[in-house]
Amino acid sequence: MLRAALEIIDRESVDRLSMRRLGEALGRDPMVLYRHAVNKAALLDGVVELVLEQLTVDATDPDWRHQLRSIARDFRRLAVAHPNTVALLITHPLDTPLALRPLGTLRPLEHILELLTRADFSSVDALHIYRALFGFLHGHILNELQEIIERPEETSDLLRLGMHRLPIGEFPLLRALATELADYDGAAELERGLDILLAGLTTTMSAAGARPRRERRS
């Protein structure tokens, strides 16, 4: 049922998903589906869980930087594969208090906390790192999926982006970046952002591999 719901969302949109349309796709009476999901919100919770089940987190990886980079790449892959679910992945879980969210939405958080505490971060610092990583990821994904070329047939980057509409004499720095804006590469941009984020975390956070291990009291 959840796979069929995800297919409808991928093909059309979240708004087009309904118990009636899902029943038609499955060849079932929509009323029967309410035995498995009491309403559309519960159905969407299940779809979010289904997508996040595909997010791989290896909490035993001894290289926390490598693992966070791998998680970020995996999250982007899922978002690009299911762009119509991005709003669900980013905002839907936040509509519910943490302890009441579907367990599948909490497992990536738990596993990342385990990864980072294994690397000798405190649990509080591990939470800050998780928030920093996913704050960056959410912003990156929204930027990447909303990058729009107004007139792709044009050969001038200024015209392709519609920047000729900007007031003449204003936004000179933005105009100068027309080629870079038109040639946006989501995967490469992700890597640049991760380089900056992970370098900052390594500098500011104390953990095994980032700074010398602090002596432990017996």
Side-chain angles (χ1 to χ4, degrees):
M1 184 175 81
L2 293 177
R3 284 193 295 272
L6 179 58
E7 288 175 3
I8 292 172
I9 292 172
D10 283 343
R11 186 172 59 251
E12 301 180 47
S13 69
V14 173
D15 292 338
R16 296 289 291 169
L17 175 65
S18 67
M19 288 300 194
R20 181 184 62 79
R21 291 181 66 81
L22 185 56
E24 291 174 354
L26 294 170
R28 303 289 296 276
D29 183 338
M31 297 307 295
V32 174
L33 302 182
Y34 285 102
R35 299 176 185 173
H36 306 282
V38 296
N39 52 37
K40 184 175 178 178
L43 182 62
L44 295 179
D45 281 343
V47 169
V48 171
E49 285 189 291
L50 180 65
V51 174
L52 288 180
E53 281 175 1
Q54 303 172 61
L55 182 63
T56 302
V57 181
D58 181 4
T60 65
D61 190 337
D63 187 341
W64 62 272
R65 300 174 194 80
H66 169 269
Q67 186 56 210
L68 291 186
R69 191 179 290 272
S70 177
I71 292 166
R73 291 169 177 164
D74 209 24
F75 188 85
R76 176 185 176 271
R77 176 187 62 80
L78 291 172
V80 171
H82 306 286
N84 289 341
T85 69
V86 167
L88 292 179
L89 295 176
I90 293 176
T91 65
H92 192 63
L94 301 179
D95 292 337
T96 306
L98 184 69
L100 298 179
R101 294 176 194 172
L103 297 182
T105 67
L106 295 177
R107 289 194 178 97
L109 167 57
E110 180 69 17
H111 294 158
I112 291 172
L113 293 177
E114 181 182 354
L115 166 75
L116 294 170
T117 53
R118 280 173 176 266
D120 277 359
F121 286 103
S122 71
S123 57
V124 173
D125 280 350
L127 179 60
H128 289 321
I129 293 171
Y130 169 87
R131 287 172 173 166
L133 175 65
F134 275 85
F136 161 69
L137 276 177
H138 292 166
H140 169 82
I141 294 299
L142 290 174
N143 279 332
E144 178 174 357
L145 296 182
Q146 291 179 4
E147 283 289 323
I148 297 175
I149 301 296
E150 183 182 18
R151 302 178 65 179
E153 73 280 3
E154 292 285 357
T155 56
S156 165
D157 291 326
L158 283 170
L159 293 177
R160 291 177 66 210
L161 294 170
M163 294 177 72
H164 60 290
R165 302 178 188 278
L166 296 176
I168 295 176
E170 294 191 43
F171 307 105
L173 296 177
L174 191 56
R175 285 174 179 273
L177 289 170
T179 298
E180 286 72 17
L181 290 168
D183 292 337
Y184 183 89
D185 182 331
E189 196 72 21
L190 177 73
E191 297 300 327
R192 292 190 193 98
L194 288 172
D195 287 343
I196 295 169
L197 178 64
L198 294 175
L201 290 174
T202 300
T203 300
T204 59
M205 298 290 189
S206 177
R211 291 180 181 174
R213 186 191 299 268
R214 290 170 294 182
E215 293 186 2
R216 297 177 178 176
R217 296 178 180 177
S218 58

Tab-separated table of all heavy atoms in Angstrom, residues 58-92:
chain	number	residue	atom	x	y	z
A	58	ASP	N	25.752	3.777	8.849
A	58	ASP	CA	26.602	2.777	9.485
A	58	ASP	C	27.187	3.371	10.766
A	58	ASP	O	28.179	4.094	10.727
A	58	ASP	CB	27.714	2.349	8.532
A	58	ASP	CG	28.623	1.281	9.141
A	58	ASP	OD1	28.334	0.825	10.270
A	58	ASP	OD2	29.619	0.918	8.476
A	59	ALA	N	26.552	3.076	11.882
A	59	ALA	CA	26.978	3.650	13.159
A	59	ALA	C	28.316	3.097	13.627
A	59	ALA	O	28.924	3.640	14.552
A	59	ALA	CB	25.909	3.388	14.224
A	60	THR	N	28.803	2.031	12.990
A	60	THR	CA	30.076	1.430	13.411
A	60	THR	C	31.258	1.945	12.589
A	60	THR	O	32.397	1.551	12.844
A	60	THR	CB	30.010	-0.108	13.268
A	60	THR	OG1	29.865	-0.454	11.880
A	60	THR	CG2	28.840	-0.668	14.054
A	61	ASP	N	31.013	2.820	11.627
A	61	ASP	CA	32.100	3.367	10.807
A	61	ASP	C	33.061	4.143	11.716
A	61	ASP	O	32.657	5.085	12.397
A	61	ASP	CB	31.510	4.304	9.738
A	61	ASP	CG	32.537	4.725	8.698
A	61	ASP	OD1	33.752	4.677	8.995
A	61	ASP	OD2	32.131	5.113	7.589
A	62	PRO	N	34.338	3.796	11.743
A	62	PRO	CA	35.286	4.498	12.612
A	62	PRO	C	35.621	5.908	12.121
A	62	PRO	O	36.184	6.705	12.882
A	62	PRO	CB	36.528	3.599	12.572
A	62	PRO	CG	36.440	2.881	11.261
A	62	PRO	CD	34.965	2.664	11.021
A	63	ASP	N	35.280	6.218	10.880
A	63	ASP	CA	35.550	7.537	10.320
A	63	ASP	C	34.231	8.301	10.240
A	63	ASP	O	33.479	8.173	9.272
A	63	ASP	CB	36.180	7.392	8.932
A	63	ASP	CG	36.636	8.724	8.349
A	63	ASP	OD1	36.161	9.780	8.813
A	63	ASP	OD2	37.453	8.701	7.403
A	64	TRP	N	33.945	9.113	11.269
A	64	TRP	CA	32.655	9.791	11.345
A	64	TRP	C	32.467	10.790	10.211
A	64	TRP	O	31.356	10.982	9.718
A	64	TRP	CB	32.483	10.472	12.698
A	64	TRP	CG	33.475	11.546	13.021
A	64	TRP	CD1	34.689	11.389	13.621
A	64	TRP	CD2	33.342	12.953	12.755
A	64	TRP	NE1	35.325	12.607	13.748
A	64	TRP	CE2	34.523	13.583	13.236
A	64	TRP	CE3	32.351	13.743	12.170
A	64	TRP	CZ2	34.729	14.966	13.134
A	64	TRP	CZ3	32.551	15.115	12.067
A	64	TRP	CH2	33.724	15.711	12.547
A	65	ARG	N	33.571	11.424	9.770
A	65	ARG	CA	33.463	12.387	8.668
A	65	ARG	C	33.030	11.681	7.381
A	65	ARG	O	32.157	12.154	6.661
A	65	ARG	CB	34.797	13.103	8.434
A	65	ARG	CG	35.325	13.886	9.632
A	65	ARG	CD	36.713	14.414	9.310
A	65	ARG	NE	37.419	14.886	10.484
A	65	ARG	CZ	38.044	14.095	11.352
A	65	ARG	NH1	38.032	12.781	11.197
A	65	ARG	NH2	38.673	14.610	12.394
A	66	HIS	N	33.675	10.559	7.099
A	66	HIS	CA	33.326	9.775	5.913
A	66	HIS	C	31.865	9.340	5.969
A	66	HIS	O	31.151	9.393	4.962
A	66	HIS	CB	34.240	8.547	5.811
A	66	HIS	CG	33.797	7.547	4.790
A	66	HIS	ND1	32.960	6.498	5.091
A	66	HIS	CD2	34.067	7.456	3.457
A	66	HIS	CE1	32.721	5.789	3.999
A	66	HIS	NE2	33.378	6.342	3.001
A	67	GLN	N	31.427	8.918	7.145
A	67	GLN	CA	30.060	8.423	7.258
A	67	GLN	C	29.034	9.542	7.101
A	67	GLN	O	28.001	9.369	6.441
A	67	GLN	CB	29.856	7.717	8.608
A	67	GLN	CG	28.508	7.037	8.764
A	67	GLN	CD	28.200	6.019	7.674
A	67	GLN	OE1	27.049	5.800	7.332
A	67	GLN	NE2	29.234	5.398	7.103
A	68	LEU	N	29.292	10.706	7.674
A	68	LEU	CA	28.365	11.834	7.507
A	68	LEU	C	28.283	12.245	6.042
A	68	LEU	O	27.209	12.582	5.540
A	68	LEU	CB	28.792	13.021	8.371
A	68	LEU	CG	28.654	12.857	9.886
A	68	LEU	CD1	28.983	14.175	10.585
A	68	LEU	CD2	27.268	12.372	10.296
A	69	ARG	N	29.421	12.213	5.352
A	69	ARG	CA	29.411	12.545	3.924
A	69	ARG	C	28.591	11.513	3.143
A	69	ARG	O	27.826	11.861	2.234
A	69	ARG	CB	30.846	12.606	3.394
A	69	ARG	CG	30.969	13.206	2.004
A	69	ARG	CD	32.442	13.246	1.572
A	69	ARG	NE	33.208	14.224	2.318
A	69	ARG	CZ	33.335	15.501	1.966
A	69	ARG	NH1	32.717	15.957	0.885
A	69	ARG	NH2	34.073	16.324	2.687
A	70	SER	N	28.745	10.245	3.511
A	70	SER	CA	27.996	9.183	2.853
A	70	SER	C	26.491	9.328	3.097
A	70	SER	O	25.679	9.139	2.188
A	70	SER	CB	28.479	7.817	3.359
A	70	SER	OG	27.740	6.768	2.788
A	71	ILE	N	26.118	9.685	4.329
A	71	ILE	CA	24.708	9.891	4.671
A	71	ILE	C	24.137	11.048	3.849
A	71	ILE	O	23.020	10.964	3.326
A	71	ILE	CB	24.559	10.169	6.178
A	71	ILE	CG1	24.911	8.912	6.982
A	71	ILE	CG2	23.140	10.634	6.514
A	71	ILE	CD1	25.127	9.181	8.469
A	72	ALA	N	24.906	12.120	3.743
A	72	ALA	CA	24.441	13.288	2.990
A	72	ALA	C	24.223	12.938	1.521
A	72	ALA	O	23.219	13.329	0.913
A	72	ALA	CB	25.460	14.424	3.117
A	73	ARG	N	25.157	12.204	0.934
A	73	ARG	CA	25.000	11.792	-0.462
A	73	ARG	C	23.778	10.912	-0.626
A	73	ARG	O	23.037	11.033	-1.614
A	73	ARG	CB	26.249	11.040	-0.920
A	73	ARG	CG	27.492	11.903	-1.038
A	73	ARG	CD	28.713	11.037	-1.221
A	73	ARG	NE	29.934	11.819	-1.399
A	73	ARG	CZ	31.154	11.309	-1.270
A	73	ARG	NH1	31.309	10.027	-0.962
A	73	ARG	NH2	32.215	12.083	-1.449
A	74	ASP	N	23.559	10.017	0.328
A	74	ASP	CA	22.421	9.095	0.263
A	74	ASP	C	21.100	9.858	0.382
A	74	ASP	O	20.134	9.576	-0.331
A	74	ASP	CB	22.544	8.056	1.382
A	74	ASP	CG	21.897	6.732	1.024
A	74	ASP	OD1	21.760	6.440	-0.183
A	74	ASP	OD2	21.533	5.992	1.948
A	75	PHE	N	21.071	10.842	1.276
A	75	PHE	CA	19.858	11.640	1.454
A	75	PHE	C	19.555	12.415	0.174
A	75	PHE	O	18.393	12.472	-0.265
A	75	PHE	CB	20.018	12.594	2.638
A	75	PHE	CG	18.749	13.326	3.006
A	75	PHE	CD1	17.816	12.741	3.845
A	75	PHE	CD2	18.502	14.601	2.517
A	75	PHE	CE1	16.643	13.411	4.181
A	75	PHE	CE2	17.334	15.280	2.842
A	75	PHE	CZ	16.404	14.680	3.683
A	76	ARG	N	20.576	12.998	-0.428
A	76	ARG	CA	20.362	13.714	-1.695
A	76	ARG	C	19.862	12.763	-2.771
A	76	ARG	O	18.970	13.109	-3.556
A	76	ARG	CB	21.650	14.388	-2.152
A	76	ARG	CG	21.493	15.070	-3.515
A	76	ARG	CD	22.798	15.644	-4.055
A	76	ARG	NE	22.580	16.176	-5.388
A	76	ARG	CZ	22.700	15.458	-6.499
A	76	ARG	NH1	23.053	14.176	-6.439
A	76	ARG	NH2	22.460	16.015	-7.680
A	77	ARG	N	20.434	11.578	-2.829
A	77	ARG	CA	19.991	10.598	-3.828
A	77	ARG	C	18.505	10.297	-3.685
A	77	ARG	O	17.761	10.268	-4.676
A	77	ARG	CB	20.802	9.297	-3.678
A	77	ARG	CG	20.355	8.170	-4.604
A	77	ARG	CD	21.085	6.878	-4.288
A	77	ARG	NE	20.823	6.399	-2.945
A	77	ARG	CZ	19.724	5.730	-2.586
A	77	ARG	NH1	18.773	5.475	-3.487
A	77	ARG	NH2	19.563	5.308	-1.343
A	78	LEU	N	18.051	10.097	-2.458
A	78	LEU	CA	16.635	9.816	-2.220
A	78	LEU	C	15.763	11.003	-2.604
A	78	LEU	O	14.691	10.841	-3.191
A	78	LEU	CB	16.416	9.459	-0.747
A	78	LEU	CG	17.007	8.125	-0.289
A	78	LEU	CD1	16.897	7.992	1.226
A	78	LEU	CD2	16.302	6.966	-0.979
A	79	ALA	N	16.226	12.199	-2.278
A	79	ALA	CA	15.447	13.401	-2.590
A	79	ALA	C	15.326	13.608	-4.092
A	79	ALA	O	14.257	13.961	-4.602
A	79	ALA	CB	16.084	14.625	-1.934
A	80	VAL	N	16.424	13.377	-4.815
A	80	VAL	CA	16.390	13.543	-6.267
A	80	VAL	C	15.527	12.461	-6.915
A	80	VAL	O	14.825	12.713	-7.893
A	80	VAL	CB	17.820	13.522	-6.845
A	80	VAL	CG1	17.807	13.475	-8.366
A	80	VAL	CG2	18.590	14.755	-6.365
A	81	ALA	N	15.558	11.255	-6.348
A	81	ALA	CA	14.746	10.159	-6.879
A	81	ALA	C	13.263	10.365	-6.596
A	81	ALA	O	12.412	9.908	-7.362
A	81	ALA	CB	15.210	8.828	-6.290
A	82	HIS	N	12.950	11.039	-5.484
A	82	HIS	CA	11.546	11.252	-5.087
A	82	HIS	C	11.323	12.730	-4.761
A	82	HIS	O	11.020	13.085	-3.611
A	82	HIS	CB	11.208	10.395	-3.863
A	82	HIS	CG	11.497	8.937	-4.034
A	82	HIS	ND1	10.718	8.110	-4.812
A	82	HIS	CD2	12.493	8.162	-3.528
A	82	HIS	CE1	11.209	6.878	-4.772
A	82	HIS	NE2	12.283	6.880	-4.004
A	83	PRO	N	11.470	13.617	-5.745
A	83	PRO	CA	11.393	15.062	-5.457
A	83	PRO	C	10.068	15.514	-4.861
A	83	PRO	O	10.034	16.476	-4.095
A	83	PRO	CB	11.646	15.711	-6.820
A	83	PRO	CG	11.321	14.660	-7.830
A	83	PRO	CD	11.701	13.359	-7.183
A	84	ASN	N	8.986	14.818	-5.193
A	84	ASN	CA	7.680	15.219	-4.662
A	84	ASN	C	7.505	14.868	-3.190
A	84	ASN	O	6.520	15.273	-2.565
A	84	ASN	CB	6.549	14.587	-5.476
A	84	ASN	CG	6.413	15.191	-6.852
A	84	ASN	OD1	6.898	16.292	-7.102
A	84	ASN	ND2	5.764	14.478	-7.760
A	85	THR	N	8.460	14.110	-2.628
A	85	THR	CA	8.384	13.768	-1.208
A	85	THR	C	9.221	14.709	-0.343
A	85	THR	O	9.183	14.596	0.886
A	85	THR	CB	8.874	12.327	-0.939
A	85	THR	OG1	10.297	12.255	-1.168
A	85	THR	CG2	8.151	11.324	-1.815
A	86	VAL	N	9.969	15.617	-0.975
A	86	VAL	CA	10.909	16.437	-0.209
A	86	VAL	C	10.214	17.242	0.887
A	86	VAL	O	10.676	17.309	2.027
A	86	VAL	CB	11.710	17.366	-1.148
A	86	VAL	CG1	12.444	18.448	-0.357
A	86	VAL	CG2	12.706	16.542	-1.951
A	87	ALA	N	9.078	17.852	0.565
A	87	ALA	CA	8.354	18.613	1.590
A	87	ALA	C	7.949	17.712	2.740
A	87	ALA	O	7.975	18.128	3.913
A	87	ALA	CB	7.123	19.277	0.971
A	88	LEU	N	7.591	16.473	2.435
A	88	LEU	CA	7.239	15.520	3.499
A	88	LEU	C	8.453	15.195	4.350
A	88	LEU	O	8.381	15.192	5.580
A	88	LEU	CB	6.689	14.226	2.891
A	88	LEU	CG	5.347	14.286	2.178
A	88	LEU	CD1	4.999	12.904	1.623
A	88	LEU	CD2	4.251	14.755	3.128
A	89	LEU	N	9.579	14.903	3.703
A	89	LEU	CA	10.779	14.514	4.441
A	89	LEU	C	11.255	15.626	5.356
A	89	LEU	O	11.764	15.363	6.456
A	89	LEU	CB	11.894	14.147	3.466
A	89	LEU	CG	11.670	12.921	2.578
A	89	LEU	CD1	12.827	12.770	1.603
A	89	LEU	CD2	11.512	11.668	3.418
A	90	ILE	N	11.087	16.870	4.918
A	90	ILE	CA	11.635	17.994	5.675
A	90	ILE	C	10.655	18.528	6.713
A	90	ILE	O	11.044	18.827	7.846
A	90	ILE	CB	12.059	19.120	4.711
A	90	ILE	CG1	13.250	18.646	3.860
A	90	ILE	CG2	12.425	20.392	5.470
A	90	ILE	CD1	13.695	19.634	2.810
A	91	THR	N	9.375	18.643	6.347
A	91	THR	CA	8.435	19.322	7.245
A	91	THR	C	7.431	18.410	7.930
A	91	THR	O	6.990	18.719	9.033
A	91	THR	CB	7.641	20.402	6.485
A	91	THR	OG1	6.814	19.769	5.481
A	91	THR	CG2	8.578	21.382	5.798
A	92	HIS	N	7.064	17.301	7.285
A	92	HIS	CA	5.989	16.478	7.852
A	92	HIS	C	6.315	15.950	9.253
A	92	HIS	O	5.474	16.023	10.149
A	92	HIS	CB	5.645	15.323	6.907
A	92	HIS	CG	4.378	14.609	7.266
A	92	HIS	ND1	3.136	15.227	7.259
A	92	HIS	CD2	4.149	13.334	7.659
A	92	HIS	CE1	2.211	14.358	7.621
A	92	HIS	NE2	2.801	13.198	7.873
